[in-house]
Amino acid sequence: FALPIEIVERDLDELKKYGRIRRPLLGVRYLSVDNQISQKLDLPVDYGALVVKEDSFGEAVVKNSPAGKAGLQEKDIILEWNGNKITFEKNLQDYLSESEVGDEVTVKVLREKEEFETDIVLAERI
């Protein structure tokens, strides 16, 4: 497997600065939405990241996480990350892995039938 050189360089910088590789945290569990998932769950869109808990353990939105502080809720669908559409091919984790701890991102969210944008400052995953 291969890593893009930008990620390797970023990780080396993190090691030099902090003595460890820091990873950004959003604080949601999600299901990537495509046409099949959209039809199965009767969703109003066929792209994005549906915020859901994985099982009876844990929460869809981690308490006191950046997403929690921004007011995201279970069943929200995150549609965009900094103006870029979240798709099955370019999912939420892809955008998160390109970000850094402390970055402020704007996400577009669909809650029930209403869209809104919110700014979120990414924390460090511990």
Side-chain angles (χ1 to χ4, degrees), residues 76-107:
D76 283 350
I77 302 174
I78 304 171
L79 301 173
E80 294 181 4
W81 180 277
N82 283 338
N84 298 299
K85 197 173 186 180
I86 296 171
T87 64
F88 203 79
E89 294 78 24
K90 179 85 175 187
N91 64 40
L92 189 59
Q93 183 58 43
D94 293 333
Y95 288 112
L96 190 59
S97 68
E98 294 170 357
S99 302
E100 296 184 25
V101 174
D103 282 356
E104 182 174 334
V105 298
T106 301
V107 294

Side-chain angles (χ1 to χ4, degrees), residues 5-22:
I5 191 66
E6 298 84 19
I7 292 175
V8 173
E9 288 173 343
R10 182 185 68 196
D11 288 351
L12 287 174
D13 287 342
E14 292 273 322
L15 280 171
K16 289 176 188 174
K17 265 185 173 175
Y18 305 104
R20 66 186 185 284
I21 299 172
R22 302 179 328 148

Side-chain angles (χ1 to χ4, degrees), residues 22-107:
R22 302 179 328 148
R23 295 285 182 240
L25 170 73
L26 180 61
V28 295
R29 292 178 177 83
Y30 69 93
L31 176 64
S32 291
V33 177
D34 62 6
N35 198 23
Q36 185 179 5
I37 296 293
S38 175
Q39 289 177 4
K40 184 176 181 178
L41 299 178
D42 194 28
L43 300 175
V45 294
D46 62 357
Y47 67 97
L50 174 64
V51 178
V52 293
K53 59 183 174 181
E54 296 172 2
D55 50 36
S56 58
F57 301 101
E59 303 163 298
V61 180
V62 179
K63 283 184 182 175
N64 297 318
S65 69
K69 291 175 183 175
L72 269 61
Q73 301 175 5
E74 186 170 6
K75 298 184 183 175
D76 283 350
I77 302 174
I78 304 171
L79 301 173
E80 294 181 4
W81 180 277
N82 283 338
N84 298 299
K85 197 173 186 180
I86 296 171
T87 64
F88 203 79
E89 294 78 24
K90 179 85 175 187
N91 64 40
L92 189 59
Q93 183 58 43
D94 293 333
Y95 288 112
L96 190 59
S97 68
E98 294 170 357
S99 302
E100 296 184 25
V101 174
D103 282 356
E104 182 174 334
V105 298
T106 301
V107 294

